[in-house]
Amino acid sequence: MKLSPLLLGFLSVLLLLSVPVSSSPCHFPAVINLGDSNSDTGGLSAAFGPVRTPYGETFFRMPAGRYSDGRLIIDFIAESFGLPYLSAYLDSLGTNFRHGANFASAAATIMPQNTTLSQGGYSPFSLDVQLDEFLQFKSRSQTIYERGGVYRELMPRKEYFSRALYTFDIGQNDITAFSFLNISANDYIPNALNEFSSVIKSIYEEGGRSFWIHNTGPLGCLSYVLLRMPLTAEQLDSAGCAIPYNQLAQQFNRMLNETVIQLSKDLPLAAIALVDIYSIKYKLISEATKYGFEQPLRVCCGYGGGEYNFDFNVRCSDTAEVNGTNVLLGKSCKDPSKSIIWDGVHYTEAANRWVFDQIKGGAFSDPPVPLSMACRREKP
């Protein structure tokens, strides 16, 4: 019996659906990142002046636009796929976007803020702006690519945008924004996550299919939070972290989880993994000595000594003129590889590597998918 072309096509689709999903690793030709300082590889530095030594000293041997002594989690993610480190979209010098771009900015928030950096506030490159940058990058990069020659080596191919891994690490600054300003979390967080969901959907509409999302870490374990408000002994947990701030982070993460569950329903072709960065980082801090770290809450690059070695007025890399000589006050500790907290806000390369080693296997992801398989969607 001769089958019609239409029936043959239908049977072919059924056959494809019956074949198990390949267990081979995903091939991500590019990584596109949006976020804050936890994944900024030079965005804020390019826009408002470079970070200074001793930032970058451990791996890059010089400041590299990162708020750490070395590599960030996003750097280890790129390495794991054999890709070069992501160039910041805002950095116009020596950049190569062939295998992706980084739109993250230190001090960035999901929701735009009313206080500027000069007022001690937040980055103007909030998540909605980062999305606009991405949309422009996607369009203009192809125009430039078509010029041929060297441009083809510096710009991503068109198909890379649908095959890329889209990573997100943002929300920490939103929590400090509403908590320091005494804004209700119940009012702020839903609005922020609606904005976050809208950004994911916009990228999906542009062809993005693989999403790797980090929730926010334990804010109450960072000295810039611990010293911001007076805390009683009852407000500190057994690890020395501030319970109220960690509870806010946990509330944000619970609602983020609900948002991602809904996104998975709304975007049937998307593979979305939510990574529990909070649990991993808290485990590291609360069991620091077990993993080879010392004094988990003490800042490596800071000033003032004391319990945290942190001073709001003298930060890592800050200098002062002493007897006519410019002297570095915010110095690095002798061995950053033994420290978890780099500058009171961010983590050391050693801590970032440890965190990456925990997340790459998928044990802290929902669904529990390894990073190398983050393009696979579990069957409903």
Side-chain angles (χ1 to χ4, degrees):
M1 181 178 69
K2 186 176 181 180
L3 299 178
S4 70
L6 181 62
L7 182 57
L8 280 171
F10 178 70
L11 291 175
S12 297
V13 171
L14 287 179
L15 181 61
L16 286 172
L17 290 176
S18 67
V19 177
V21 175
S22 171
S23 60
S24 61
C26 304
H27 174 59
F28 293 117
V31 175
I32 305 291
N33 183 69
L34 295 85
D36 56 29
S37 57
N38 290 305
S39 60
D40 182 357
T41 56
L44 194 75
S45 183
F48 294 102
V51 293
R52 301 182 305 238
T53 188
Y55 283 98
E57 66 173 16
T58 294
F59 180 78
F60 300 100
R61 306 300 179 190
M62 60 180 290
R66 292 154 173 81
Y67 291 85
S68 178
D69 61 310
R71 289 165 290 184
L72 310 178
I73 295 172
I74 188 64
D75 292 314
F76 292 116
I77 288 176
E79 278 187 11
S80 73
F81 295 121
L83 300 177
Y85 301 131
L86 295 184
S87 292
Y89 173 72
L90 293 172
D91 193 350
S92 60
L93 300 173
T95 50
N96 186 333
F97 297 118
R98 175 72 168 179
H99 297 285
N102 194 350
F103 301 90
S105 168
T109 51
I110 297 173
M111 298 290 286
Q113 304 298 313
N114 292 325
T115 53
T116 66
L117 281 172
S118 62
Q119 296 170 316
Y122 297 89
S123 169
F125 305 108
S126 49
L127 189 59
D128 60 324
V129 177
Q130 293 181 32
L131 173 63
D132 287 341
E133 291 173 337
F134 163 72
L135 295 174
Q136 182 175 189
F137 172 74
K138 183 172 182 288
S139 174
R140 291 193 64 199
S141 65
Q142 295 314 291
T143 301
I144 296 171
Y145 181 88
E146 291 303 322
R147 294 178 185 174
V150 67
Y151 296 108
R152 292 199 172 212
E153 300 303 317
L154 297 176
M155 295 294 131
R157 296 178 180 177
K158 182 178 181 180
E159 64 269 24
Y160 283 10
F161 289 97
S162 60
R163 294 166 54 198
L165 178 66
Y166 290 84
T167 55
F168 292 80
D169 193 330
I170 195 166
Q172 175 174 316
N173 296 320
D174 288 272
I175 299 172
T176 59
F178 71 69
S179 59
F180 292 166
L181 296 173
N182 293 319
I183 299 172
S184 169
N186 294 329
D187 293 333
Y188 187 102
I189 296 176
N191 290 331
L193 293 179
N194 282 338
E195 176 65 26
F196 182 85
S197 179
S198 177
V199 169
I200 297 288
K201 289 179 178 179
S202 294
I203 293 175
Y204 181 85
E205 291 171 0
E206 292 292 321
R209 291 295 181 265
S210 301
F211 299 89
W212 183 264
I213 302 168
H214 293 178
N215 68 13
T216 198
L219 286 180
C221 301
L222 300 175
S223 55
Y224 89 108
V225 171
L226 283 163
L227 295 175
R228 182 81 183 218
M229 304 284 188
L231 295 166
T232 65
E234 291 73 24
Q235 291 177 306
L236 299 177
D237 64 16
S238 59
C241 301
I243 295 171
Y245 292 106
N246 279 351
Q247 288 177 336
L248 288 174
Q250 291 169 334
Q251 180 180 352
F252 176 90
N253 289 340
R254 285 193 298 270
M255 298 178 76
L256 175 62
N257 183 59
E258 295 169 1
T259 299
V260 170
I261 290 173
Q262 188 59 51
L263 282 168
S264 295
K265 295 176 181 177
D266 294 342
L267 310 177
L269 299 180
I272 307 176
L274 177 61
V275 185
D276 189 6
I277 289 292
Y278 181 98
S279 294
I280 302 169
K281 287 184 174 179
Y282 189 79
K283 179 181 179 68
L284 175 60
I285 289 170
S286 60
E287 302 177 38
T289 55
K290 177 180 177 180
Y291 301 111
F293 293 90
E294 302 169 352
Q295 297 180 287
L297 302 183
R298 185 176 173 82
V299 172
C300 173
C301 184
Y303 178 81
E307 183 178 4
Y308 302 117
N309 189 38
F310 181 82
D311 188 320
F312 281 105
N313 298 313
V314 183
R315 302 291 191 96
C316 177
S317 81
D318 279 356
T319 61
E321 189 171 307
V322 179
N323 298 325
T325 302
N326 202 39
V327 176
L328 177 65
L329 298 181
K331 299 179 180 180
S332 172
C333 58
K334 291 183 179 179
D335 188 359
S337 70
K338 298 295 184 182
S339 294
I340 295 174
I341 309 301
W342 168 245
D343 58 4
V345 183
H346 311 101
Y347 287 66
T348 61
E349 175 179 287
N352 287 328
R353 178 191 287 276
W354 189 91
V355 171
F356 172 76
D357 286 342
Q358 311 311 303
I359 69 175
K360 65 182 180 182
F364 289 87
S365 303
D366 185 15
V369 56
L371 177 63
S372 62
M373 302 289 286
C375 60
R376 310 294 185 213
R377 173 72 186 270
E378 285 190 344
K379 291 183 179 180

Short mmCIF file of all heavy atoms in Angstrom, two decimals, residues 331-367:
data_model
loop_
_atom_site.label_atom_id
_atom_site.label_comp_id
_atom_site.label_asym_id
_atom_site.label_seq_id
_atom_site.Cartn_x
_atom_site.Cartn_y
_atom_site.Cartn_z
N LYS A 331 43.93 46.09 51.29
CA LYS A 331 44.87 45.08 50.79
C LYS A 331 44.27 43.68 50.81
O LYS A 331 43.35 43.38 51.57
CB LYS A 331 46.14 45.08 51.64
CG LYS A 331 46.91 46.38 51.63
CD LYS A 331 48.14 46.27 52.54
CE LYS A 331 48.94 47.57 52.57
NZ LYS A 331 50.12 47.47 53.46
N SER A 332 44.85 42.83 49.98
CA SER A 332 44.48 41.42 49.97
C SER A 332 45.15 40.68 51.12
O SER A 332 46.22 41.08 51.59
CB SER A 332 44.90 40.78 48.65
OG SER A 332 44.71 39.38 48.67
N CYS A 333 44.52 39.61 51.56
CA CYS A 333 45.13 38.76 52.58
C CYS A 333 46.25 37.94 51.95
O CYS A 333 46.41 37.91 50.72
CB CYS A 333 44.08 37.86 53.22
SG CYS A 333 43.20 36.79 52.05
N LYS A 334 47.01 37.26 52.77
CA LYS A 334 48.18 36.52 52.28
C LYS A 334 47.81 35.36 51.38
O LYS A 334 48.51 35.06 50.41
CB LYS A 334 49.02 36.02 53.46
CG LYS A 334 49.72 37.13 54.24
CD LYS A 334 50.58 36.55 55.36
CE LYS A 334 51.29 37.66 56.12
NZ LYS A 334 52.13 37.12 57.23
N ASP A 335 46.70 34.68 51.69
CA ASP A 335 46.34 33.49 50.92
C ASP A 335 44.84 33.48 50.63
O ASP A 335 44.05 32.89 51.37
CB ASP A 335 46.73 32.22 51.69
CG ASP A 335 46.57 30.96 50.85
OD1 ASP A 335 46.13 31.07 49.68
OD2 ASP A 335 46.89 29.86 51.36
N PRO A 336 44.43 34.12 49.52
CA PRO A 336 43.00 34.16 49.18
C PRO A 336 42.37 32.79 48.99
O PRO A 336 41.15 32.64 49.11
CB PRO A 336 42.99 34.95 47.86
CG PRO A 336 44.23 35.77 47.89
CD PRO A 336 45.24 34.91 48.58
N SER A 337 43.19 31.78 48.69
CA SER A 337 42.64 30.45 48.47
C SER A 337 42.05 29.85 49.73
O SER A 337 41.31 28.86 49.68
CB SER A 337 43.71 29.51 47.90
OG SER A 337 44.70 29.22 48.89
N LYS A 338 42.36 30.45 50.89
CA LYS A 338 41.81 29.98 52.16
C LYS A 338 40.60 30.78 52.59
O LYS A 338 39.98 30.49 53.62
CB LYS A 338 42.89 30.06 53.26
CG LYS A 338 44.12 29.19 53.01
CD LYS A 338 43.77 27.72 53.02
CE LYS A 338 45.02 26.85 52.87
NZ LYS A 338 44.68 25.40 52.83
N SER A 339 40.27 31.82 51.84
CA SER A 339 39.15 32.71 52.18
C SER A 339 37.95 32.44 51.28
O SER A 339 38.10 32.05 50.11
CB SER A 339 39.57 34.17 52.03
OG SER A 339 40.56 34.52 52.98
N ILE A 340 36.78 32.69 51.83
CA ILE A 340 35.53 32.56 51.07
C ILE A 340 35.08 33.92 50.56
O ILE A 340 34.76 34.09 49.38
CB ILE A 340 34.44 31.91 51.92
CG1 ILE A 340 34.82 30.48 52.27
CG2 ILE A 340 33.08 31.97 51.21
CD1 ILE A 340 33.87 29.80 53.25
N ILE A 341 35.07 34.90 51.45
CA ILE A 341 34.60 36.24 51.10
C ILE A 341 35.78 37.10 50.67
O ILE A 341 36.75 37.25 51.42
CB ILE A 341 33.87 36.90 52.28
CG1 ILE A 341 32.79 35.96 52.83
CG2 ILE A 341 33.26 38.23 51.85
CD1 ILE A 341 31.74 35.55 51.83
N TRP A 342 35.69 37.67 49.48
CA TRP A 342 36.80 38.46 48.96
C TRP A 342 36.81 39.88 49.51
O TRP A 342 37.77 40.30 50.16
CB TRP A 342 36.75 38.49 47.44
CG TRP A 342 37.65 39.49 46.78
CD1 TRP A 342 37.29 40.57 46.04
CD2 TRP A 342 39.09 39.52 46.82
NE1 TRP A 342 38.40 41.28 45.61
CE2 TRP A 342 39.51 40.65 46.08
CE3 TRP A 342 40.06 38.70 47.42
CZ2 TRP A 342 40.86 40.97 45.92
CZ3 TRP A 342 41.40 39.03 47.25
CH2 TRP A 342 41.80 40.15 46.51
N ASP A 343 35.75 40.65 49.28
CA ASP A 343 35.76 42.07 49.62
C ASP A 343 34.58 42.52 50.48
O ASP A 343 34.29 43.70 50.58
CB ASP A 343 35.80 42.91 48.34
CG ASP A 343 34.62 42.62 47.42
OD1 ASP A 343 33.74 41.83 47.81
OD2 ASP A 343 34.57 43.19 46.31
N GLY A 344 33.89 41.57 51.08
CA GLY A 344 32.74 41.89 51.92
C GLY A 344 31.42 41.76 51.19
O GLY A 344 30.35 41.75 51.81
N VAL A 345 31.48 41.65 49.87
CA VAL A 345 30.26 41.54 49.05
C VAL A 345 30.35 40.31 48.14
O VAL A 345 29.35 39.63 47.91
CB VAL A 345 30.06 42.80 48.19
CG1 VAL A 345 28.76 42.70 47.40
CG2 VAL A 345 30.08 44.05 49.04
N HIS A 346 31.54 40.03 47.65
CA HIS A 346 31.74 39.00 46.64
C HIS A 346 32.64 37.88 47.15
O HIS A 346 33.30 38.03 48.18
CB HIS A 346 32.35 39.64 45.38
CG HIS A 346 31.63 40.87 44.94
ND1 HIS A 346 32.11 42.14 45.20
CD2 HIS A 346 30.46 41.03 44.29
CE1 HIS A 346 31.26 43.02 44.72
NE2 HIS A 346 30.24 42.38 44.17
N TYR A 347 32.70 36.81 46.37
CA TYR A 347 33.45 35.63 46.79
C TYR A 347 34.82 35.57 46.10
O TYR A 347 35.03 36.17 45.04
CB TYR A 347 32.65 34.37 46.44
CG TYR A 347 31.45 34.16 47.35
CD1 TYR A 347 30.38 35.04 47.35
CD2 TYR A 347 31.40 33.08 48.24
CE1 TYR A 347 29.28 34.86 48.18
CE2 TYR A 347 30.32 32.89 49.08
CZ TYR A 347 29.25 33.78 49.05
OH TYR A 347 28.18 33.59 49.87
N THR A 348 35.72 34.84 46.71
CA THR A 348 37.04 34.63 46.13
C THR A 348 36.95 33.65 44.96
O THR A 348 35.96 32.92 44.81
CB THR A 348 38.02 34.05 47.16
OG1 THR A 348 37.52 32.77 47.60
CG2 THR A 348 38.20 34.97 48.35
N GLU A 349 38.00 33.60 44.16
CA GLU A 349 38.04 32.61 43.08
C GLU A 349 37.94 31.20 43.65
O GLU A 349 37.24 30.35 43.08
CB GLU A 349 39.32 32.75 42.27
CG GLU A 349 39.42 31.65 41.20
CD GLU A 349 40.66 31.72 40.34
OE1 GLU A 349 40.70 32.61 39.48
OE2 GLU A 349 41.55 30.86 40.51
N ALA A 350 38.63 30.95 44.75
CA ALA A 350 38.61 29.61 45.35
C ALA A 350 37.19 29.21 45.73
O ALA A 350 36.77 28.07 45.50
CB ALA A 350 39.52 29.56 46.56
N ALA A 351 36.43 30.15 46.30
CA ALA A 351 35.04 29.86 46.67
C ALA A 351 34.18 29.70 45.42
O ALA A 351 33.33 28.80 45.37
CB ALA A 351 34.50 30.98 47.55
N ASN A 352 34.40 30.54 44.42
CA ASN A 352 33.63 30.43 43.18
C ASN A 352 33.87 29.08 42.50
O ASN A 352 32.95 28.45 41.97
CB ASN A 352 34.01 31.56 42.22
CG ASN A 352 33.44 32.90 42.64
OD1 ASN A 352 32.37 32.97 43.24
ND2 ASN A 352 34.16 33.97 42.35
N ARG A 353 35.12 28.64 42.53
CA ARG A 353 35.43 27.33 41.93
C ARG A 353 34.73 26.22 42.70
O ARG A 353 34.18 25.29 42.10
CB ARG A 353 36.95 27.09 41.93
CG ARG A 353 37.32 25.72 41.36
CD ARG A 353 38.78 25.39 41.62
NE ARG A 353 39.67 26.18 40.79
CZ ARG A 353 40.00 25.85 39.53
NH1 ARG A 353 39.48 24.77 38.97
NH2 ARG A 353 40.83 26.60 38.86
N TRP A 354 34.76 26.31 44.02
CA TRP A 354 34.11 25.28 44.84
C TRP A 354 32.61 25.23 44.55
O TRP A 354 32.04 24.15 44.39
CB TRP A 354 34.35 25.58 46.33
CG TRP A 354 33.91 24.46 47.23
CD1 TRP A 354 34.67 23.41 47.67
CD2 TRP A 354 32.60 24.28 47.79
NE1 TRP A 354 33.91 22.57 48.47
CE2 TRP A 354 32.65 23.09 48.55
CE3 TRP A 354 31.42 24.99 47.71
CZ2 TRP A 354 31.52 22.60 49.25
CZ3 TRP A 354 30.30 24.50 48.39
CH2 TRP A 354 30.35 23.34 49.15
N VAL A 355 31.99 26.39 44.46
CA VAL A 355 30.55 26.45 44.15
C VAL A 355 30.28 25.85 42.78
O VAL A 355 29.35 25.05 42.60
CB VAL A 355 30.03 27.90 44.22
CG1 VAL A 355 28.60 27.99 43.69
CG2 VAL A 355 30.10 28.43 45.65
N PHE A 356 31.10 26.21 41.79
CA PHE A 356 30.91 25.67 40.45
C PHE A 356 31.02 24.15 40.46
O PHE A 356 30.23 23.45 39.79
CB PHE A 356 31.92 26.25 39.47
CG PHE A 356 31.88 25.58 38.12
CD1 PHE A 356 30.85 25.85 37.23
CD2 PHE A 356 32.85 24.64 37.77
CE1 PHE A 356 30.79 25.21 36.00
CE2 PHE A 356 32.79 24.00 36.54
CZ PHE A 356 31.76 24.27 35.65
N ASP A 357 31.98 23.62 41.19
CA ASP A 357 32.15 22.17 41.25
C ASP A 357 30.92 21.47 41.80
O ASP A 357 30.65 20.30 41.46
CB ASP A 357 33.38 21.82 42.10
CG ASP A 357 34.69 22.11 41.40
OD1 ASP A 357 34.68 22.26 40.16
OD2 ASP A 357 35.73 22.21 42.09
N GLN A 358 30.16 22.15 42.66
CA GLN A 358 28.93 21.57 43.20
C GLN A 358 27.78 21.63 42.20
O GLN A 358 26.95 20.72 42.13
CB GLN A 358 28.51 22.29 44.50
CG GLN A 358 29.60 22.47 45.53
CD GLN A 358 30.37 21.21 45.83
OE1 GLN A 358 29.78 20.20 46.23
NE2 GLN A 358 31.68 21.24 45.65
N ILE A 359 27.70 22.70 41.44
CA ILE A 359 26.53 22.89 40.56
C ILE A 359 26.66 22.19 39.22
O ILE A 359 25.65 21.88 38.59
CB ILE A 359 26.22 24.39 40.33
CG1 ILE A 359 27.31 25.06 39.47
CG2 ILE A 359 26.06 25.12 41.63
CD1 ILE A 359 26.98 26.50 39.10
N LYS A 360 27.87 21.92 38.78
CA LYS A 360 28.04 21.40 37.42
C LYS A 360 27.43 20.02 37.23
O LYS A 360 27.03 19.65 36.13
CB LYS A 360 29.52 21.38 37.03
CG LYS A 360 30.38 20.42 37.83
CD LYS A 360 31.84 20.50 37.42
CE LYS A 360 32.71 19.54 38.22
NZ LYS A 360 34.14 19.66 37.85
N GLY A 361 27.33 19.25 38.32
CA GLY A 361 26.79 17.90 38.21
C GLY A 361 25.28 17.83 38.27
O GLY A 361 24.70 16.77 38.01
N GLY A 362 24.63 18.94 38.64
CA GLY A 362 23.18 18.97 38.66
C GLY A 362 22.52 18.63 39.98
O GLY A 362 21.29 18.65 40.08
N ALA A 363 23.32 18.32 41.01
CA ALA A 363 22.75 17.91 42.29
C ALA A 363 21.93 19.02 42.94
O ALA A 363 21.02 18.75 43.73
CB ALA A 363 23.86 17.45 43.24
N PHE A 364 22.24 20.27 42.62
CA PHE A 364 21.53 21.40 43.23
C PHE A 364 20.61 22.10 42.23
O PHE A 364 20.24 23.24 42.44
CB PHE A 364 22.54 22.40 43.82
CG PHE A 364 23.23 21.88 45.04
CD1 PHE A 364 24.39 21.12 44.94
CD2 PHE A 364 22.73 22.16 46.31
CE1 PHE A 364 25.04 20.65 46.07
CE2 PHE A 364 23.37 21.69 47.44
CZ PHE A 364 24.52 20.93 47.33
N SER A 365 20.27 21.42 41.15
CA SER A 365 19.42 22.01 40.13
C SER A 365 18.01 21.41 40.18
O SER A 365 17.83 20.28 40.62
CB SER A 365 20.01 21.77 38.73
OG SER A 365 21.31 22.29 38.63
N ASP A 366 17.05 22.18 39.73
CA ASP A 366 15.69 21.70 39.61
C ASP A 366 15.20 22.04 38.19
O ASP A 366 14.98 23.22 37.89
CB ASP A 366 14.79 22.36 40.65
CG ASP A 366 13.38 21.79 40.65
OD1 ASP A 366 13.18 20.72 40.04
OD2 ASP A 366 12.48 22.43 41.24
N PRO A 367 15.04 21.02 37.33
CA PRO A 367 15.27 19.60 37.56
C PRO A 367 16.76 19.29 37.75
O PRO A 367 17.60 20.11 37.38
CB PRO A 367 14.73 18.95 36.28
CG PRO A 367 14.89 20.00 35.23
CD PRO A 367 14.62 21.31 35.94
#
